[in-house]
Amino acid sequence: MKKTLLLVTILLVLTTVLTAQSSFKNLAGSANEMDSMRVPDSSTLGIKSKAAMLPIRFKDGKAAFDIPVETTENLRLTLLAPNSAGWEITTSNGVNKDINLRNNPEFVERRDGEIGMDGVKFPAEVFSFNYVKNGNWRVEISAGKDANLRDSGTVGYLVVSNDSPYQLYSYIDTHQTLVGRSIGVFTRVFDNAAGTNSAIEGEIRSIEGEIRTPNSTTQKLNFNGNSNGLFGGSFVPRETGQYLIQITVRGVSPKGEEFIRTSEQLVQVLGDNAQFGRGAVSNLIDSERLQVNIPVSGLREGRKVIAYGEIWARNSSGEKSPVAWISGMSVAEEKGRNVELPLVLDGRWLSLSNAKEGFELRNVRIQDPDYFVTIATANKIPLAIPAIPENARNFNGEITNEMRTGKRPTEPIENAVGGKLMLVHGYCSGDVWGSVQGQFSNSIKFSDLNQNRSHDQFANLIRNFGASYPSFGIVAHSQGGAASLHLYTYYWSGLDYATGGSRFIQTVGTPYQGTALAGNLAALGSVFGAGCGTNYDLTYSGSASWLAGIPSWARAKVHYSTTSFKDVWYRYDYCNIATDLFLNDPDDGVVERDYAQLPGANNRGHKTGWCHTSGMRDPAQTSDSSRNADMNANAAR
């Protein structure tokens, strides 16, 4: 009986693996695409901060802040704290003393707002100032009669922002954020007009770092100076999960004005400890394809990863030259003491380059499919290829879709309802398409409301929802656009069978390159409650690591639009007054236009007067009937 149960278990595991692998696309591309498929240098993926987000920690029921204000142009103090209605907030500067921020309309304009993205929103209280001067300000917050806050940890944040050109640029130095591996953290102050690589000529007086670990404890991070105004520190994570790093910098500008800035960096740490073996082997699958088996130690059987490698071989001159890159989802299969990661190589790539010997894999990497953290890398791995498949030897030189994606599965479901246009929402979202679904003909609405999904999880939910239809095109909002592109890149689905229109995937407001709010929301989640939780895929670093695996042929299927607030001369403009503290204009209240770009895709243009979601100053971008009509008319289904 035990043997029978064991056999059934083994068969179920094998069936699950084979079923998963049959849904994977076998990604490949030419040698001239290799540069774009490599993960970018982490120093280019930093966070730019123009504000200071100061933690509120009461002692004897009070908290006090000494804040240098170098300019009062669009000066704002923003209180981000739950249950703060009973607190008293006052400020003093060289001219005005003990200004009650809630009861002094001559100097202070108070507004209620929200900070967040899509369905994750926290209340904000924003104070703007008139007739005040720059210099050293003191802000005092009293908890009043709330005895629970006599002495406390962080119970909220006070955010200081203005229109100063001096910003903070911070980044981590590795994509391999793994338990036991050192992670470097670097920062510099720069003039926004000069760019992030040029430090200001002023003086940095202090840099403090604090790390919040996954178990909510905190530890200090010490910094040392470096050339060109760059300061760095490092830490070694000891547990898996999300770490929040906050850096606080105080300094003096070139004009002699004191300033303060902070940045909030979210880091996802995994527990994998994998290493590549010494040599990869291949075997024939059929008359055109080979299976490349990459040996890995320290990776458990059944672990799904994204694998990538470049095929290099000796050319007619005897020099090593690039042949093609291969990639895709791969499930680890046990081979002796180690495991192997299978990838498929179409033999026509070998014929195209006339490669015959001296094969090797270069720039090999494996990434987690949910967080895109790099698990292991190798510069070179020898690759044994016994022979070029028979039917690939007489290749005519025309690169086909089958060479780029692998063999397409059998035709979609027979006798099913015809193709549909699928409307997809975003991260932790409400029903953003519900009121306008009538503007899209023959449409269906994907609904996974108020949830936090990785791109990969999100993509598979879309795939499963569309499995009842022979084909579908997609119109998506926010993260739904990234998840749809992820689906089209890595998995076979009804999206591959869409016809009748020129646009497979259409998106609006998608943070293809991330949003600065991801780190700030991680900090706020600790005081307001996690809500949907943080999403590492939406950070700058997580988005860049994901984008490195998206080839040009997949990007070319995307048509995307961006929006921002309507800008008029007679007022200060924004989509969301609270999120505007952390975003560089133009933005839609969640996504900056610069970070909503998808290189290699079809940019359908930028429109002002439309914000990310409802409840902002301008209407929600999904309610633009003109854009919706255009997307409906051109959508494949």
Side-chain angles (χ1 to χ4, degrees), residues 357-478:
E357 58 182 9
F359 294 100
E360 62 186 16
L361 291 168
R362 290 192 183 182
N363 297 313
V364 191
R365 70 174 184 263
I366 52 176
Q367 294 172 284
D368 179 84
D370 285 316
Y371 304 109
F372 308 101
V373 170
T374 299
I375 296 170
T377 63
N379 292 329
K380 296 180 182 179
I381 299 176
L383 171 61
I385 295 182
I388 296 177
E390 182 179 356
N391 287 356
R393 296 172 193 168
N394 299 319
F395 177 47
N396 63 10
E398 181 184 353
I399 297 175
T400 65
N401 287 335
E402 189 175 277
M403 291 171 63
R404 296 187 179 101
T405 62
K407 291 186 180 294
R408 191 157 75 165
T410 56
E411 291 301 314
I413 306 167
E414 295 182 2
N415 302 320
V417 179
K420 296 288 185 179
L421 179 59
M422 187 186 300
L423 308 179
V424 180
H425 57 69
Y427 155 75
C428 193
S429 179
D431 188 6
V432 297
W433 297 110
S435 62
V436 296
Q437 186 177 0
Q439 298 175 14
F440 298 92
S441 59
N442 197 25
S443 65
I444 53 175
K445 190 173 59 176
F446 172 83
S447 185
D448 184 44
L449 304 181
N450 304 310
Q451 299 297 322
N452 180 8
R453 310 294 188 188
S454 71
H455 288 351
D456 192 62
Q457 294 165 350
F458 205 151
N460 277 286
L461 289 172
I462 295 171
R463 179 175 181 267
N464 293 340
F465 177 67
S468 299
Y469 306 95
S471 66
F472 57 86
I474 289 178
V475 165
H477 177 246
S478 198

Side-chain angles (χ1 to χ4, degrees), residues 31 34 311-316 319-324 353 355 362:
M34 287 180 179
I311 309 291
W312 288 63
R314 194 171 291 116
N315 59 25
S316 57
E319 299 175 344
K320 288 291 179 71
S321 61
V323 174
S353 64
R362 290 192 183 182

Side-chain angles (χ1 to χ4, degrees), residues 70-140:
E70 69 270 35
T71 176
T72 59
E73 187 174 354
N74 284 327
L75 171 65
R76 281 161 289 161
L77 297 179
T78 301
L79 180 63
L80 303 172
N83 307 315
S84 59
W87 298 359
E88 183 178 275
I89 311 168
T90 61
T91 183
S92 301
N93 56 51
V95 177
N96 310 101
K97 304 291 185 182
D98 299 324
I99 302 173
N100 187 317
L101 298 189
R102 291 196 176 113
N103 190 27
N104 209 320
E106 179 182 357
F107 296 104
V108 184
E109 180 183 357
R110 178 194 169 280
R111 281 172 285 191
D112 289 320
E114 290 181 322
I115 182 170
M117 54 183 180
D118 293 348
V120 178
K121 296 179 181 178
F122 303 121
E125 195 173 359
V126 184
F127 305 97
S128 304
F129 296 87
N130 302 308
Y131 315 115
V132 292
K133 291 187 177 181
N134 61 348
N136 291 315
W137 289 41
R138 184 171 179 84
V139 177
E140 296 183 350

